[in-house]
């Protein structure tokens, strides 16, 4: 395992990257490529790499490295490049606060507490998991109710099991991956329950993690009550009606000792709120331009802190851009400003970036609200592309080229996904 | 009775038992406190709303009335001596129409007669200025500046720390199994062995009727009345700055909006009787009721901001009032049915209990070595950057963040373990680690490692709150902690 240690902590940096996960590492490399000199990655764990270390399954890197890697392999490749490019990495360190003047307060077990100045900051704090409180599951409060990511840490990092008989609520990717992982560890996985009529994770994970291991999947079904005083003893599950309320006369009990939650991720935007960044109410992440700059001058953002991605490859791609632009910012170069706002329309939950410029190519990421078969994505009357299918679990990626917008003269472009 | 006989055994380590233990530790007495859970404050007290009532809520013809106001006046001194969060934030009881306005007048009158200072009726304009997020439909409010908020579990821990410093012994995991009156005292059998004491105080909360029956004086019964509470994200800090009470109506006591000491908004509680005294379930109906009602008072509140919910059980005695006093069994004293305003009244109840003991023949000689103060623990998040840096330079553990939502350092967690926290909940209630918006998603493992290291126990023996509340188990079979 390679870890980075700064030779010494500088007082001022060109680019400070908050978070050393896949987003932060790619951003730092992007900044170096754009010519930034003093670059610092700050990470709260003992090793940079973020959540990738506990994602020991494969499926990473197919887009970016054109080969299939495990999470730690993907992290390792990036860390090696980070060190090769002499980017300072300070670990075991937490960014406690920041102001709009880009003064960054760090708290560190190894370095103590300091305030650093930075010409530019890249926010790459990632996301946290939604918890029981967010969905208010009725019942008792025993041990044994935990998020899938914490269970993943127990199993893959610490070598312990979260329990012996497990029910999983929510069909996010981490839950699907953990269903398989626990079966491989000899744990009884009694089923995956999803309140929505569709799965929330990638289709390949449904096939490879559930179907291949005969783990039952119950759609439109939820956990209606948790039982047990000290430890989970059973859960009551029930199908839901159209308003997503459990139908209790069709409910049944499942004896178990653990309930894993895989009910979504929330971008970690506490620092963004400290400096009053403009946030998108749908993604809950910062509103960003096509250079991944936030509403604060010189503050960029990328990865899951902006919006939740389904593949790390897309995180790397988006973060490389954010880093490039942060690097350009400190070396005094600017790309032409954006002149078109993207407005989510029919069956579009959000678009990132929130604005684009008509003079260059952009990758636009968006998510739909509901499943649709054959359909088309339309950017006003300017451009449309056919899609074979869409569903909320899979991010849609569109390349927008300047020639598509040659005859468009407005300042906002409505984005719709419509059946065809 | 022999030389290992205690002067007083206090049964129950909730807020009332802890306050009594601390009050009696002023005197030259041999004291023991008996608690059935693994730590004090882990029963009803930890789910208490944490409100120090202003002094005008309970009617004068009850025991509650005078004890509420007397108790209220103890809290500044306790706060100065001990180590818990307390702030007199004030409360505002709001009325929606003129009929309710007359209820405000009744409370105003009651408070004035009792000497509660600062009570004042606020009209609409004043309310809009002071609490702009309170509903525009509110026509008037009764402001009571003497109301405050505390973290009730911290109060329990700190009272016990203080009492221990002054000689109290504590037995945890020791549910009482039987009580026998003997010549000159009582024998209290617990799961950890028998305790001989000249006097026994029944502060057993929800189980006080059963304890009394064991002693042979089962003259009352306790009904558990459940309250569900919902905690909201810290993003809403400052939404209200005072405790907002709706005007009590004959059918409902109403749902409160409570700005807790830590700045988190808490809404609740419900009030529903339950038969099972271990029923700490929250319910779909309870949650809906709370949010529906609370939005009438403060429309900006949404269930979307909920980060955690919990329930607690009030110990309600027949007739709804406190039961405090000696019984037909010599030396056995009841302190039962201590529901709201029990937390507020607890310090005054403790003084009353000391008086009762004196009346019953116990000599109370002040102990010259009594130390009223306990050392205050460091809260890094409350320090300025300079002070934080100095602390971290001395001990790097105070620079290392353990719980990021609440910015609790490893040093604070280690200190909490040193102060007696032996479980994840013990750490949580002492330091706030795990209490924030991620609800322990990130810090649980670190806290487990620290418990394991500091207490030299295998990681699969770490529990949430003792008993069978194990967190992880080993690959090779048996579940972690013994049940």
């Amino acid at each position: 395992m390679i870890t980075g240690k700064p030779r010494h902590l500088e007082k001022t940096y060109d680019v400070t990257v908050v978070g050393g996960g896949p987003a932060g590492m790619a951003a730092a490399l992007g900044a170096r490529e754009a010519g930034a000199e003093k670059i610092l990655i700050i990470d709260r764990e003992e090793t940079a790499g973020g959540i990738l270390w506990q994602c020991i399954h494969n499926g990473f890197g197919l887009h970016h490295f054109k080969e299939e890697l495990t999470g730690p392999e993907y992290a390792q490749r990036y860390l090696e490049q980070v060190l090769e490019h002499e980017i300072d990495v300070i670990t075991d360190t937490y960014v406690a606060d920041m102001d709009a003047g880009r003064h960054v307060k760090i708290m560190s077990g190894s370095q103590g507490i300091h305030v650093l100045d930075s010409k530019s900051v890249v926010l790459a704090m990632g996301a946290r998991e939604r918890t029981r409180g967010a969905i208010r599951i009725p019942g008792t409060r025993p041990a044994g109710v935990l998020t899938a990511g914490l269970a993943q840490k127990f199993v893959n990092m610490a070598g312990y099991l979260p329990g012996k008989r497990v029910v999983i609520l929510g069909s996010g990717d981490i839950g699907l991956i953990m269903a398989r992982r626990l079966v491989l560890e000899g744990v009884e996985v009694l089923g995956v329950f999803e309140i929505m009529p569709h799965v929330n994770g990638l289709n390949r994970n449904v096939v490879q993690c559930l179907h291949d291991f005969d783990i039952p999947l119950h759609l439109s079904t939820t956990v209606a009550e948790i039982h047990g005083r000290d430890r989970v003893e059973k859960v009551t599950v029930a199908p839901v009606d159209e308003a997503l309320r459990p139908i209790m006369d069709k409910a049944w009990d499942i004896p178990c000792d653990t309930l894993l939650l895989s009910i979504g991720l929330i971008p970690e935007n506490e620092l963004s709120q400290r400096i009053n960044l403009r946030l998108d109410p749908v993604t809950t992440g910062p509103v960003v331009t096509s250079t991944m700059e936030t509403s604060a001058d010189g503050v960029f953002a990328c990865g899951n802190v902006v919006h939740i991605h389904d593949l790390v490859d897309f995180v790397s791609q988006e973060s490389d851009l954010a880093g490039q632009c942060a690097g350009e910012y400190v070396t005094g170069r600017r790309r032409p400003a954006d002149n078109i706002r993207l407005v989510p329309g029919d069956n579009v939950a959000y678009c990132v970036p929130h604005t684009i410029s008509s003079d260059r190519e952009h990758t636009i990421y968006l998510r739909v609200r509901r499943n649709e078969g054959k359909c088309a994505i339309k950017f006003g009357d300017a451009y449309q592309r056919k899609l074979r299918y869409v569903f909320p679990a899979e991010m849609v990626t569109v390349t927008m080229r300047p020639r598509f917008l040659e005859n468009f003269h407005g300042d906002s472009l409505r984005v719709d996904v419509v059946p065809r | 009775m022999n030389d290992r006989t205690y002067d007083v055994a206090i049964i129950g380590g909730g807020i009332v038992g802890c306050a009594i233990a601390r009050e009696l530790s002023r005197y030259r007495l041999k004291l023991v406190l008996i608690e059935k859970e693994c730590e004090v404050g882990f029963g009803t007290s930890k789910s208490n709303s944490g409100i120090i009532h202003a002094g005008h809520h309970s009617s004068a013809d009850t025991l509650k009335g005078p004890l509420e106001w007397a108790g209220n006046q103890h809290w500044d001194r306790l706060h100065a001596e001990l180590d818990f969060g307390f702030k007199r934030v004030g409360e505002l009881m709001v009325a929606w129409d003129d009929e309710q306005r007359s209820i405000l007048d009744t409370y105003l009158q009651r408070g004035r007669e009792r000497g509660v200072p600062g009570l004042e009726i606020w009209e609409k304009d004043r309310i809009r200025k002071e609490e702009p997020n309170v509903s525009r439909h509110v026509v008037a409010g009764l402001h009571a500046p003497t109301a405050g908020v505390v973290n009730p579990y911290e109060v329990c821990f700190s009272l016990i720390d203080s009492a221990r410093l002054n000689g109290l012994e504590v037995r945890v995991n020791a549910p009482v199994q039987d009580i026998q009156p003997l010549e000159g005292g009582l024998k209290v059998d617990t799961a950890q062995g028998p305790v001989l004491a000249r006097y026994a105080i029944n502060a057993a909360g929800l189980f006080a009727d059963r304890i009394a029956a064991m002693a042979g004086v089962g003259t009352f019964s306790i009904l558990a009345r459940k309250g569900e509470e919902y905690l909201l994200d810290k993003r809403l800090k400052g939404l209200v700055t005072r405790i907002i009470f709706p005007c009590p109506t004959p059918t409902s006591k109403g749902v409160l909006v409570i700005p807790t000491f830590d700045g988190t908004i808490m809404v609740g509680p419900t009030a529903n009787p339950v038969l099972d005294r271990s029923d700490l379930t929250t319910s779909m109906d309870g949650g809906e009721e709370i949010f529906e009602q609370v939005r009438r008072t403060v429309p900006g509140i949404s269930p979307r901001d909920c980060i955690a919910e919990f329930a607690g059980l009030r110990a309600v005695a027949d007739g709804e009032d406190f039961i405090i006093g000696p019984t037909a069994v010599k030396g056995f004293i009841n302190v039962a049915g201590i529901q709201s305003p029990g937390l507020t009244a607890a310090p005054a109840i403790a003084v009353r209990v000391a008086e009762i003991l004196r009346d019953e023949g116990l000599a109370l000689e002040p102990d010259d070595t009594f130390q009223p103060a306990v050392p205050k623990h460091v809260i890094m998040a409350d320090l300025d950057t300079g002070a934080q840096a100095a602390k971290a330079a001395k001990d790097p553990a105070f620079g290392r963040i353990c719980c990021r939502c609440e910015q609790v350092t490893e040093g604070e967690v280690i200190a909490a373990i040193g102060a007696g926290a032996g479980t994840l909940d013990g750490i949580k209630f002492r330091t706030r680690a795990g209490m924030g918006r991620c609800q322990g998603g990130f810090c649980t493992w670190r806290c487990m490692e620290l418990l394991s290291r500091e207490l030299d126990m295998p990681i699969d023996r770490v529990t949430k709150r003792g008993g069978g509340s194990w967190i992880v188990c080993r690959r090779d079979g048996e579940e972690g902690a013994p049940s």
Side-chain angles (χ1 to χ4, degrees), chain A residues 243-365:
Chain A
L244 303 181
R245 290 185 60 99
I247 306 167
M248 293 312 288
D249 32 340
K250 291 187 183 163
W252 74 98
D253 287 347
I254 305 177
C256 58
D257 60 23
T258 306
L259 175 65
L260 289 198
L261 303 176
S262 179
I263 52 178
L265 298 173
I266 304 171
E268 289 245 77
N269 275 291
E270 285 63 47
L271 271 185
S272 317
Q273 284 165 1
R274 293 288 298 172
I275 54 171
N276 291 316
L277 292 189
R278 226 185 116 209
L279 302 180
D280 177 332
V282 177
T283 60
T284 72
V287 169
V288 289
T289 67
S290 66
T291 60
M292 301 307 289
E293 191 169 3
T294 67
S295 59
D297 191 39
V299 178
F300 297 78
C302 56
N304 278 352
V305 80
V306 177
H307 62 127
I308 303 300
H309 298 63
D310 29 66
L311 294 179
V312 70
D313 304 69
F314 294 138
V315 168
S316 298
Q317 185 185 7
E318 178 186 286
S319 305
D320 173 59
L321 171 69
Q324 296 263 2
C325 296
E328 289 168 14
Y329 177 90
V330 299
T331 52
R333 289 171 291 154
R334 288 297 189 98
R335 299 180 187 194
D338 291 345
N339 55 352
I340 298 170
R341 198 159 54 90
L342 297 176
V343 182
D346 285 348
N347 200 16
V348 175
Y350 71 82
C351 302
V352 166
H354 295 76
T355 55
I356 56 171
S357 163
S358 55
D359 67 286
R360 59 182 184 271
E361 187 174 305
H362 302 283
T363 303
I364 296 169
Y365 305 99

Side-chain angles (χ1 to χ4, degrees), chain B residues 1 5 180-187 196-199 329-331:
Chain B
M1 301 290 113
T5 301
Q180 295 152 33
L182 302 175
E183 185 61 40
L186 302 116
K187 177 162 162 273
L196 294 177
R198 294 169 61 207
Y199 293 85
V329 173
K330 171 75 183 154

